Each structure stands twice: as structure tokens, then as C-alpha cells.
Amino acid sequence: HTTNISVTPYTYSEDFSNDETVLSRDNLKIGFRVHTVWRIDEAKVAMFMDRFSTTVSNDVVEKDPDAIVKVAYANFVREPLRTFARDEVQRRNGLDVKEALIPIGDAVLGRIRRYAGDSPFLISSVVVGNVQYPAAVSDAVSLKLAATQELQRKDTEIEIEKKERTKREVQAQGIANAMQIIRGQLSAMYIQHEAIEAQKLMVNSPNHTVVYIPSGPMGVPITGTFPTTAPQGPGGQAPATPIKR
């Protein structure tokens, strides 16, 4: 009987959830998954068959060609891999695990490679992910994050308001400085000169009609009410008009 063994990479996942969750250094229960990519060394296929082919019957192999590979992984790689992953997580505080997934995966990869160094198993990569915290911890982290974001938003609003206030102060100072300069220049003679120059421009313009009216102090026009009928004499009679002879 001939058994074919594939030397292409396999990807197996180990789940640490429910009863398999791991306690971190600060006693926080953490769930996660470990994904491992591995293959059988082409130069050690004979060794692989000698060690593991007898653990699976021919009937099972006929139904599942990868049955030998699965059993070999379970017997040789699975438990050491899970032990290394569990140990690396337990060395860290719970909330630090999510930020250390790559270092954890690299540490597990190094340890499992040393363990399988003389075996037919070639371990290509180990990736740790899908970290799950207890619901209470996740809710607390979410609330803390929301509060932090709210504080950052308020800090931003305060900075914007400070800049707006500074802008208004600069604008007000500029207006005050301009008014001070104008007040220093607005003498009576200067205003009269500007008025004369403006009148010159209007006189020379074909689009304006200039009407001069009597004016009093500060250029305010003099106004009054004048009768439109002839004045009356005593007794309501109009005065006699003198006749020239």
C-alpha cells in the first residue's frame, strides 16, 4: 500500500476560549487564537512515515488523505505549541497582550522551532490574534476610550476658542491703533481740506449735480419754514401795494 504525503504548507489554528482562556499576569482571563503555518520537510518524509504512518489505519487514510498529517500534528506539535502560547500570554498583563501580539507570536515561533528542530516538521510562522477580554473589561476600556476622546475634543475646542479670542484681541487692538492715528490727524483744517478736495472731484464729474446750501457749525445744513403766501396787514387785509406816480 502506497501513502502519499503532501509537502505543501498547512495552516492550523488553536483556539483559547471559553474554558481554555488564559490568566494573564494580573489575573485577567484572556481568549485568543494561534494560527500556525507549517509543512513536512521533503528531506525527512521517510522519517515522518516511520514515526506517524502506523498511527492511522488504511481505511481512515483512504477517506481522508491528510489523516496522517493531522494525527502527526496533534501528537507532536499541538500541545507544545499551546503550552508555549499560554506561557507567553501569562507573562504579560492583560491589557498589554493586545499591544504585544507580534512579540508573542515571534516568541512562540522561536520556541516551537527549537522544539521541532530535529523533526520532520518545518514551522513557517505563528500568528496570535483575535484577543477577547471579559465583557466587563471591554466595556470599561470602551468607556475610558470614549472619555479620553471627549477630553481631547474639549481640549481642541478650548484651543480653538483661545485662538479666536487672540484673533479678536489683535483685531480690536488694530482698530484701536487705527482710530488713534485717525484722531491724531483729524484737525479742523484737515477735514476742511478733504471736503474741498471732494467737492473738486464732484464738480469735474459729469455724473453729479452739485447744490450748495447754507450750513452751520460742523457742516449741518440750516433749515427752516418759510411762508408761501403774501404777508397780511392789520385786520387780515393784505397790505396796500404802493403805487408809483
Side-chain angles (χ1 to χ4, degrees):
H1 178 76
T2 301
T3 301
N4 295 322
I5 297 297
S6 174
V7 294
T8 58
Y10 295 90
T11 301
Y12 283 14
S13 297
E14 297 296 332
D15 188 59
F16 294 81
S17 61
N18 299 324
D19 294 338
E20 297 292 331
T21 55
V22 177
L23 280 177
S24 62
R25 185 169 60 185
D26 52 356
N27 295 322
L28 183 64
K29 285 187 176 183
I30 301 176
F32 60 96
R33 301 193 76 184
V34 178
H35 307 278
T36 306
V37 179
W38 64 278
R39 65 183 179 87
I40 299 171
D41 188 348
E42 297 178 8
K44 297 180 179 181
V45 172
M47 179 192 297
F48 178 84
M49 294 301 295
D50 289 341
R51 291 187 180 182
F52 301 107
S53 63
T54 57
T55 59
V56 181
S57 66
N58 292 334
D59 293 339
V60 174
V61 173
E62 289 178 359
K63 295 179 181 179
D64 183 3
D66 288 332
I68 297 177
V69 173
K70 293 177 181 178
V71 172
Y73 169 85
N75 290 344
F76 187 81
V77 178
R78 185 173 186 270
E79 288 308 319
L81 177 70
R82 291 180 65 88
T83 298
F84 297 151
R86 191 180 296 110
D87 180 62
E88 291 297 330
V89 170
Q90 288 173 339
R91 294 182 180 188
R92 294 168 170 82
N93 289 330
L95 296 180
D96 295 337
V97 170
K98 212 163 194 176
E99 304 298 327
L101 294 180
I102 293 178
I104 292 173
D106 292 342
V108 174
L109 177 61
R111 295 176 70 174
I112 194 65
R113 276 180 171 173
R114 288 190 295 272
Y115 169 80
D118 296 328
S119 74
F121 298 90
L122 294 178
I123 313 299
S124 301
S125 68
V126 173
V127 176
V128 180
N130 196 31
V131 176
Q132 300 292 327
Y133 293 108
V137 175
S138 299
D139 293 343
V141 171
S142 298
L143 290 174
K144 182 179 179 181
L145 179 60
T148 301
Q149 291 175 341
E150 180 66 14
L151 288 176
Q152 291 175 347
R153 184 184 66 81
K154 290 182 177 179
D155 288 342
T156 301
E157 290 179 352
I158 291 173
E159 289 300 320
I160 292 174
E161 183 59 31
K162 286 181 178 178
K163 292 185 182 298
E164 288 293 334
R165 183 179 64 189
T166 302
K167 177 182 175 182
R168 291 193 295 269
E169 290 175 353
V170 171
Q171 290 175 338
Q173 187 61 47
I175 294 172
N177 294 338
M179 292 301 296
Q180 184 176 1
I181 294 172
I182 293 172
R183 283 195 299 268
Q185 294 179 350
L186 288 181
S187 64
M189 295 299 294
Y190 176 78
I191 295 174
Q192 185 176 7
H193 172 268
E194 290 296 310
I196 293 172
E197 292 299 319
Q199 290 172 9
K200 287 181 179 179
L201 293 175
M202 289 189 293
V203 168
N204 295 326
S205 174
N207 299 323
H208 290 81
T209 300
V210 180
V211 178
Y212 291 95
I213 61 174
S215 60
M218 302 300 292
V220 178
I222 298 175
T223 61
T225 303
F226 302 96
T228 59
T229 60
Q232 297 180 351
Q237 299 295 324
T241 304
I243 301 174
K244 293 183 181 180
R245 295 184 182 274

